[in-house]
Amino acid sequence: MSRRFVLASLIMTLILLSVGCTVAVSTPTPRPAPTATRKPTATAEPQPFELVLLHTNDTLGYTEPCG
Amino acid sequence: MLLDAGDSLYGSQPLTLQSSGKVIVEGMNKLGYDAMLIGDLDLRYGPEVLAQRIAEASFPVLSANVLRASDKQLVGKPYIITEVGGRKVGIIGITWDGIDLQDPVLKDQYIVLKADIVLPQYVTEVSRKADIVIVLSNMGLEEDQRLSSAVPGIDVILGGRSRNPMEASWRNQKTGTIVAQAGAQGEWIGRRTLTIDGSGVVKANRGELIYLTEDYADDTDIRTWLDNYTVQ
């Protein structure tokens, strides 16, 4: 084993010891919390309706029908 | 709903003139009117007497465009919102804006604003609050028809002043506004039956005039009240 190789190995070991050899660990990605699915509720639709309008105009002070 | 489109308090009938329209207001109270419009003729009593009649009425008296000259305040309510069958109905009043304010009886008494200015503002405001928009108008049939195009958003214009006995309603094909009148002098009552869908659109309307002949018996209580009416 050459002296140069031994020296390189020693330097490499020192670097690993000083920096620390970390193992890449995958971090768990947060999963979305399960949400309750709502059942569609019936919205109160306005219903059709009838409007009856009775109307007069220009009565001109008459108190008896037909003048 | 029972509505009146104006020019009903003032006229040549002795009892009406002697009581300055009070007999008419009292009669309308008994008949259960829901609202009436101030017509141009009704203004002829003057602001003070008119204010008395309005105070005596058990129903709202409307006009969105007539102000007292003295304090620049509206003579009547501009509009009302009322509920019918769980739906909101807005009713706006518009008095004829072509009235001659130089007439000695009216001079310096009132300010009358133009319908074309006032009506769009109130239709926008009332449309936000009500499902149906009704205008009581004293403008005359031709003007009502013109306004039905000029001011979109009105469902019904119940008019007067031109005194047209309209059996069938007229409908603006573009805006859908329905226009109707019921003659004059208490000869007729108009009846308009509107079918309104869930979104507030008038899908159908039936109209008729009820001609008040002797086939319709007088209400006994009102007949007695009227026969014994004394002007105070």
Side-chain angles (χ1 to χ4, degrees), chain B residues 37-199:
Chain B
L37 170 71
I38 300 168
D40 62 297
L41 293 177
D42 303 322
L43 298 173
R44 300 184 73 82
Y45 286 123
E48 289 77 21
V49 172
L50 187 57
Q52 287 175 26
R53 298 292 86 86
I54 291 170
E56 290 155 2
S58 59
F59 47 86
V61 179
L62 308 179
S63 176
N65 62 327
V66 176
L67 299 84
R68 285 183 296 269
S70 57
D71 60 3
K72 312 283 192 296
Q73 296 296 305
L74 286 171
V75 170
K77 290 180 186 290
Y79 67 85
I80 56 163
I81 308 286
T82 186
E83 199 165 305
V84 181
R87 307 297 282 273
K88 286 183 176 161
V89 178
I91 306 171
I92 305 167
I94 286 290
T95 305
W96 183 40
D97 60 8
I99 185 170
D100 177 14
L101 292 175
Q102 296 307 309
D103 184 309
V105 176
L106 302 171
K107 191 172 171 60
D108 300 328
Q109 303 281 345
Y110 303 100
I111 298 165
V112 180
L113 306 176
K114 289 291 179 190
D116 284 88
I117 304 292
V118 169
L119 197 51
Q121 298 168 5
Y122 280 112
V123 169
T124 301
E125 186 174 331
V126 171
S127 296
R128 284 199 290 263
K129 301 177 181 176
D131 302 301
I132 300 294
V133 178
I134 297 171
V135 173
L136 295 179
S137 165
N138 178 229
M139 297 287 289
L141 180 58
E142 280 188 22
E143 278 295 282
D144 289 342
Q145 290 172 328
R146 184 186 66 77
L147 287 168
S148 75
S149 290
V151 187
I154 304 169
D155 293 296
V156 183
I157 299 176
L158 297 176
R161 205 177 68 78
S162 52
R163 304 173 191 175
N164 302 76
M166 296 172 69
E167 184 79 39
S169 309
W170 177 88
R171 189 160 198 186
N172 186 314
Q173 293 305 310
K174 192 174 175 184
T175 61
T177 303
I178 294 160
V179 177
Q181 290 195 22
Q185 299 179 349
E187 285 187 273
W188 291 278
I189 295 177
R191 178 158 58 191
R192 316 291 154 184
T193 305
L194 314 179
T195 305
I196 299 160
D197 73 7
S199 60

Side-chain angles (χ1 to χ4, degrees), chain A residues 2-26:
Chain A
S2 71
R3 195 175 168 185
R4 183 180 287 182
F5 179 79
V6 172
L7 187 62
S9 298
L10 183 62
I11 293 168
M12 193 68 178
T13 303
L14 287 171
I15 291 170
L16 286 172
L17 285 172
S18 62
V19 172
C21 187
T22 57
V23 178
V25 179
S26 64

